[in-house]
Amino acid sequence: NKISSFDFKNKKFNFDICSNLLDANISGFQKKSLLDFKANVRPKIFISKNLNLNLVKAKAILDMHTLSLRGNIDALLASNYAKNISLKSDINYTKKTGILYNGRINLKDFTNIDQNLSLLLKNSTIYFNGDLKKADIKLTSRTLKLSKFVKNLNDKLKDSKFDISLKSSINFNDVNSSKIVYHLNSDLVNIDGDYLHKSDEFNATLNLPKKSLLIDFDKNLHVEKFFPVKVEGKREKLDINLNAKNDIFNLFAKYNTLSENLNLKLQGSGILANIEKNDKSYKFKIKIDSLMVAKEAIDSVYRLPNFRVDAKMKIKGAYKKGKAIFRVEAPWFLYQYVDNKF
């Protein structure tokens, strides 16, 4: 340690610390019972394998009678995934409340992560507040263009924008019990949901905004009939199980994150469809109790051309390497004949 100066008469101090762990300058003064000080610290060690603390600037006032403290911290961090992380926080301490803090973390550019995730998190902000037992966290993204994530968008959708916010309360004594609440706001669809870390379960509700671009996307499409859509899901080891339903259909899905195998089951008015994806091949089975009943259900969402055919059908097929084969069975078939009128 190297002490630069200590003015006992005016109760001022200023000294430097140079070591293998950090370089620091600490200065301040005492006025009555208050000790006002500031510190600039440059650590020389990593906080963890993937996180480094580059610079810390701190200011604080300590009341030596009540042992209460108020101050703020301004820090710069870097990791293997983000080089410029800015942290700002206010800190307060009293015997009654203990340590309280609130602040924000600004995230800029990212490396070594998925490109879409990097775009999503770039220039986002994390807000936090709490104590030594728990913390409330909120992340907000900037407004993003959908065309940055989805290529070859229809011209009517290419200007679509969205933003995402996440909220969570973390109990430091039981981190696994934390719950994440998320909201996606866009000019296509709004999504509200939550994720439970302990049980690996998630829920979501999809709603259509009043000025959604999907409303005028196709004159034959009654997109408002699709919503709301309720989604429930759970991760079990390598499998993700999902159920999505609305007033028209009920969809069950099972996806294996290791093999990438996928099983889908869709139920609707008079329709039952099963689709299996396995090793780059697809198999499907479709059962239709009545073409007319199925058409009525589909017409409520998308207006199909009129036809005078009704049938009960079973369709089986497969698709692999650009080739498709299928078989159609129809136990009964009806055609409504209408005489020509002259």
Side-chain angles (χ1 to χ4, degrees):
N1 294 355
K2 178 183 177 183
I3 300 178
S4 298
S5 65
F6 203 108
D7 188 341
F8 290 96
K9 182 178 179 180
N10 295 311
K11 298 182 179 181
K12 295 181 179 180
F13 60 89
N14 186 322
F15 62 90
D16 298 321
I17 299 175
C18 299
S19 72
N20 293 330
L21 299 178
L22 55 83
D23 291 337
N25 173 264
I26 302 174
S27 62
F29 61 90
Q30 180 183 346
K31 185 176 182 180
K32 296 182 179 179
S33 66
L34 300 180
L35 182 62
D36 190 315
F37 63 93
K38 62 181 180 180
N40 293 331
V41 181
R42 289 187 179 275
K44 297 180 179 179
I45 60 172
F46 284 88
I47 298 175
S48 68
K49 184 179 180 180
N50 296 317
L51 185 64
N52 186 34
L53 184 58
N54 292 332
L55 175 65
V56 178
K57 294 182 179 181
K59 295 180 180 180
I61 298 176
L62 171 67
D63 189 321
M64 294 181 290
H65 285 173
T66 63
L67 294 181
S68 60
L69 179 143
R70 68 180 185 275
N72 60 75
I73 293 175
D74 193 343
L76 293 176
L77 302 93
S79 75
N80 293 341
Y81 307 105
K83 300 303 181 185
N84 297 300
I85 304 173
S86 171
L87 182 150
K88 298 179 184 293
S89 179
D90 293 327
I91 299 176
N92 291 277
Y93 170 81
T94 66
K95 290 182 179 180
K96 183 177 181 180
T97 63
I99 295 177
L100 301 175
Y101 53 85
N102 68 85
R104 69 180 186 273
I105 300 172
N106 293 320
L107 306 172
K108 294 185 179 179
D109 295 318
F110 290 82
T111 58
N112 303 321
I113 65 172
D114 177 78
Q115 183 179 1
N116 286 335
L117 183 59
S118 176
L119 286 171
L120 187 63
L121 294 176
K122 183 178 180 180
N123 294 327
S124 60
T125 303
I126 299 173
Y127 299 92
F128 61 89
N129 65 84
D131 53 32
L132 296 182
K133 294 181 179 179
K134 61 181 178 61
D136 294 326
I137 299 173
K138 179 182 180 181
L139 181 148
T140 58
S141 76
R142 59 199 170 101
T143 300
L144 301 159
K145 288 187 176 181
L146 185 61
S147 58
K148 295 286 187 179
F149 299 84
V150 182
K151 304 300 181 184
N152 302 319
L153 271 176
N154 183 281
D155 288 343
K156 293 183 179 180
L157 306 180
K158 66 180 181 180
D159 294 326
S160 177
K161 298 178 181 180
F162 71 97
D163 61 75
I164 294 176
S165 65
L166 305 174
K167 294 181 181 180
S168 181
S169 293
I170 300 176
N171 183 338
F172 296 130
N173 294 322
D174 186 11
V175 176
N176 286 335
S177 67
S178 60
K179 176 180 180 181
I180 298 175
V181 177
Y182 54 89
H183 175 71
L184 182 146
N185 180 67
S186 78
D187 47 17
L188 295 179
V189 175
N190 292 336
I191 304 175
D192 293 281
D194 59 65
Y195 167 74
L196 300 175
H197 182 270
K198 197 168 190 175
S199 59
D200 249 352
E201 295 178 319
F202 57 90
N203 299 277
T205 301
L206 285 67
N207 287 295
L208 189 72
K210 290 182 178 179
K211 296 183 179 180
S212 173
L213 298 179
L214 294 175
I215 294 174
D216 297 322
F217 179 71
D218 187 326
K219 65 179 182 180
N220 292 315
L221 179 64
H222 306 291
V223 68
E224 68 280 359
K225 299 291 185 179
F226 270 108
F227 299 93
V229 179
K230 302 287 185 180
V231 180
E232 296 178 351
K234 181 178 176 64
R235 184 184 181 114
E236 296 177 309
K237 296 183 179 179
L238 296 176
D239 291 331
I240 298 176
N241 298 295
L242 181 144
N243 174 221
K245 59 183 178 180
N246 59 13
D247 292 337
I248 302 168
F249 68 82
N250 198 347
L251 173 68
F252 299 90
K254 184 176 183 179
Y255 175 73
N256 186 281
T257 56
L258 180 62
S259 66
E260 297 186 346
N261 290 345
L262 175 66
N263 291 300
L264 294 175
K265 182 179 180 181
L266 178 67
Q267 293 178 318
S269 296
I271 301 177
L272 176 61
N274 290 277
I275 301 173
E276 295 181 9
K277 174 188 172 294
N278 187 357
D279 191 27
K280 297 182 181 180
S281 66
Y282 295 84
K283 294 181 180 180
F284 57 89
K285 297 179 182 179
I286 302 173
K287 294 181 180 180
I288 303 174
D289 294 333
S290 167
L291 277 177
M292 281 299 184
V293 172
K295 182 182 182 302
E296 288 178 4
I298 295 173
D299 278 346
S300 66
V301 178
Y302 190 88
R303 191 181 299 110
L304 295 173
N306 290 325
F307 55 82
R308 300 193 297 271
V309 174
D310 196 5
K312 180 176 183 179
M313 304 178 71
K314 291 182 181 180
I315 305 172
K316 293 182 180 180
Y319 175 85
K320 187 175 183 179
K321 295 182 179 180
K323 295 182 179 180
I325 57 172
F326 60 91
R327 178 180 178 180
V328 179
E329 297 178 0
W332 56 266
F333 183 92
L334 297 176
Y335 175 77
Q336 183 183 4
Y337 176 77
V338 177
D339 290 334
N340 293 324
K341 294 183 180 180
F342 297 96

